[in-house]
Amino acid sequence: DTAVSQTPKYLVTQMGNDKSIKCEQNLGHDTMYWYKQDSKKFLKIMFSYNNKELIINETVPNRFSPKSPDKAHLNLHINSLELGDSAVYFCASSQAYMNTEAFFGQGTRLTVV
Amino acid sequence: SQQGEEDPQALSIQEGENATMNCSYKTSINNLQWYRQNSGRGLVHLILIRSNEREKHSGRLRVTLDTSKKSSSLLITASRAADTASYFCATSLGGATNKLIFGTGTLLAVQP
């Protein structure tokens, strides 16, 4: 069983569209994250949720709206997509307060044309 | 701002040689972690070293941490072609969020 799974793996869409990326973890972790990896491979945290509550929002444009229906799921919805949103988006999870490793999904490569 | 800087940005070695990657960071940390990313894949956790530890081993991996210099190194011994990947250090400040701040990464190429 995949520990952290995100769908879709690839997403190609036009500017101005709205799209969603889904993430699920079966590890029983309390904390989930979204990271963005740009073309230079730099990984930047976008959001962190702990038990369905938003903990971190790293000055991400409000076109990005995370939703956590339960602690096993953290979805990312993006409105009015822009060319600069093209990147690989990674979902991850870890156990809160444990200061241990994070488990990452396989990534969603978003291409905005 | 970005927490970690890695050095070198790229490293090419022959199979059997050792590979050393360095990471520097800016603020106090709870722990430092190293991850590997194969091309087109997600990140895989390799090793975690806590701020009160100085050295840690896992198989062919050896990690050191110098909190006075705010730096860490990852040594891969007897490298294999399958070790070809990008390697990232990530620092954690601890607490509820356990947020990881990643370095810029080192692209390692191991030639067979």
Side-chain angles (χ1 to χ4, degrees):
Chain A
D1 281 344
T2 305
V4 181
S5 60
Q6 53 182 110
T7 55
K9 189 171 181 181
Y10 299 98
L11 190 50
V12 181
T13 187
Q14 292 188 325
M15 280 175 57
N17 283 351
D18 303 338
K19 290 293 177 187
S20 292
I21 306 171
K22 296 186 175 181
C23 178
E24 175 181 5
Q25 54 98 2
N26 62 6
L27 298 166
H29 288 161
D30 297 319
T31 306
M32 295 185 72
Y33 314 84
W34 279 107
Y35 280 84
K36 178 180 180 180
Q37 187 173 44
D38 63 22
S39 57
K40 295 185 179 178
K41 299 238 174 196
F42 177 52
L43 275 151
K44 184 174 168 58
I45 189 166
M46 300 172 68
F47 300 103
S48 167
Y49 268 71
N50 191 25
N51 275 324
K52 303 190 297 176
E53 287 190 28
L54 178 66
I55 302 296
I56 295 173
N57 178 340
E58 291 283 324
T59 61
V60 178
N62 57 16
R63 296 183 297 103
F64 291 78
S65 52
K67 293 273 192 309
S68 183
D70 55 62
K71 74 174 193 177
H73 295 84
L74 180 62
N75 304 321
L76 183 65
H77 188 76
I78 315 170
N79 289 329
S80 303
L81 278 155
E82 301 177 356
L83 292 176
D85 297 332
S86 295
V88 182
Y89 293 85
F90 287 98
C91 177
S93 73
S94 69
Q95 191 68 324
Y97 298 103
M98 296 293 287
N99 302 318
T100 55
E101 68 198 90
F103 290 79
F104 281 78
Q106 290 297 294
T108 296
R109 182 175 293 277
L110 172 65
T111 304
V112 183
V113 297
Chain B
S1 64
Q2 178 184 319
Q3 174 81 327
E5 298 279 347
E6 291 184 60
D7 160 57
Q9 288 188 353
L11 180 60
S12 181
I13 58 174
Q14 298 292 316
E15 256 190 332
E17 293 180 339
N18 296 341
T20 299
M21 289 158 262
N22 303 297
C23 168
S24 61
Y25 57 93
K26 296 177 183 174
T27 64
S28 295
I29 59 172
N30 177 281
N31 65 72
L32 185 143
Q33 304 177 30
W34 286 89
Y35 287 80
R36 184 186 73 224
Q37 184 180 31
N38 289 84
S39 180
R41 307 297 296 273
L43 286 90
V44 175
H45 180 263
L46 295 175
I47 197 164
L48 180 154
I49 186 165
R50 302 197 184 278
S51 59
N52 61 354
E53 297 175 311
R54 292 296 165 259
E55 188 170 314
K56 208 157 183 185
H57 297 254
S58 177
R60 294 183 296 113
L61 306 180
R62 173 178 166 249
V63 168
T64 62
L65 179 64
D66 187 337
T67 52
S68 67
K69 294 181 179 178
K70 293 187 169 55
S71 67
S72 174
S73 67
L74 170 67
L75 168 67
I76 304 174
T77 59
S79 63
R80 304 167 182 168
D83 295 328
T84 294
S86 292
Y87 291 82
F88 295 88
C89 68
T91 52
S92 171
L93 305 183
T97 65
N98 202 20
K99 176 173 92 170
L100 289 173
I101 301 175
F102 282 84
T104 47
T106 293
L107 178 59
L108 173 66
V110 181
Q111 310 297 333

